[in-house]
Amino acid sequence: MNRQAAARITADTREEFDKLREYFSRDLEADADVGQERRRLVKHVPTMVSARTQLLLDTLLNYLMKDALAALADASTAAKNEFYDLDLRSRVKQSFTLEPEPLEFSHDPRVIAGGVATGVTAATGGLMTALLLSGLIPHLVGGVATLVASAVAFRIAHTSTTGIALQRLRNDVDAYVTQSEHHVSSWLANVEDFFVSAFKEFQEGGERTKEETA
């Protein structure tokens, strides 16, 4: 059996995952809502990877069947029918399944920056409140002012790091797609080995039958 499938599926895998990287690069616009995108992509990216994986599996099986039939070009009709009866395509799909890994994002820099800004503001506000004259109303006014300042500081810091958060989100998705490409490539190589081994066993069985009947 001429194993041309390996080279072709390697190129196809690279092409499909390059398309995925390009798609998600365009998908994350500069003005995207980072929080909303994180919630969406955590399911969307693995789903897209899974769909590409099934497409590549079907493509590989088509290549392997074509190579096998080419190897059986001079075989008898009975031998070809016996090969079809093996139903290697179904056997592969029953034996090989691949669930995509969950997508995990790195820490959101907006939350970290916002927390730091809030902490600094709260500490400063606490100091100012302590310096106010004693009494309920001055302390209350100082406390409210501190809360307002902390909220404003959090929002400013949160917003100012949105661009960083979006780029980190892109990096996380790109790293996940690249890791998935390596995982899928290895899995497809195992599929090919299984198919080729089963086909070789079929051929050897046919050769033994010929020798026994000779």
Side-chain angles (χ1 to χ4, degrees):
M1 180 176 177
N2 188 358
R3 298 184 63 171
Q4 296 181 359
R8 288 179 294 186
I9 200 62
T10 297
D12 290 340
T13 301
R14 186 182 306 113
E15 180 181 353
E16 289 300 325
F17 278 90
D18 281 346
K19 289 178 182 178
L20 272 184
R21 277 184 281 269
E22 183 180 351
Y23 168 78
F24 286 118
S25 178
R26 294 195 312 267
D27 190 42
L28 288 169
E29 301 292 342
D31 58 348
D33 183 312
V34 177
Q36 181 177 332
E37 289 301 315
R38 284 168 70 98
R39 291 189 293 273
R40 179 179 69 90
L41 291 172
V42 75
K43 292 184 179 180
H44 186 49
V45 178
T47 297
M48 293 284 284
V49 168
S50 181
R52 287 296 192 281
T53 301
Q54 292 306 310
L55 173 64
L56 288 166
L57 175 60
D58 286 331
T59 301
L60 174 59
L61 289 173
N62 289 339
Y63 289 156
L64 290 168
M65 288 294 294
K66 184 177 180 180
D67 288 346
L69 291 174
L72 295 173
D74 297 328
S76 66
T77 301
K80 292 178 182 177
N81 288 336
E82 287 178 9
F83 170 69
Y84 286 125
D85 289 340
L86 289 178
D87 199 5
L88 285 180
R89 183 184 292 271
S90 295
R91 286 174 57 186
V92 165
K93 291 197 171 186
Q94 290 172 2
S95 301
F96 290 87
T97 57
L98 183 65
E99 293 295 328
E101 296 291 331
L103 170 57
E104 297 180 358
F105 295 112
S106 54
H107 294 297
D108 189 341
R110 299 173 306 157
V111 175
I112 297 174
V116 171
T118 301
V120 171
T121 304
T124 305
L127 178 61
M128 293 298 295
T129 301
L131 294 176
L132 289 174
L133 295 174
S134 62
L136 178 62
I137 293 179
H139 279 295
L140 182 61
V141 171
V144 171
T146 299
L147 289 175
V148 172
S150 295
V152 171
F154 178 87
R155 183 161 187 81
I156 291 174
H158 192 273
T159 303
S160 66
T161 53
T162 295
I164 298 174
L166 188 59
Q167 185 56 51
R168 183 167 294 181
L169 185 59
R170 290 193 186 99
N171 293 343
D172 287 343
V173 171
D174 187 73
Y176 176 85
V177 172
T178 298
Q179 181 181 5
S180 297
E181 179 180 357
H182 295 319
H183 194 189
V184 170
S185 295
S186 177
W187 180 74
L188 290 172
N190 291 334
V191 169
E192 185 190 6
D193 288 341
F194 175 87
F195 187 102
V196 171
S197 178
F199 183 74
K200 183 178 179 181
E201 183 179 342
F202 164 76
Q203 284 185 307
E204 291 174 349
E207 291 299 325
R208 285 195 298 269
T209 301
K210 287 180 181 179
E211 292 175 359
E212 291 170 358
T213 57

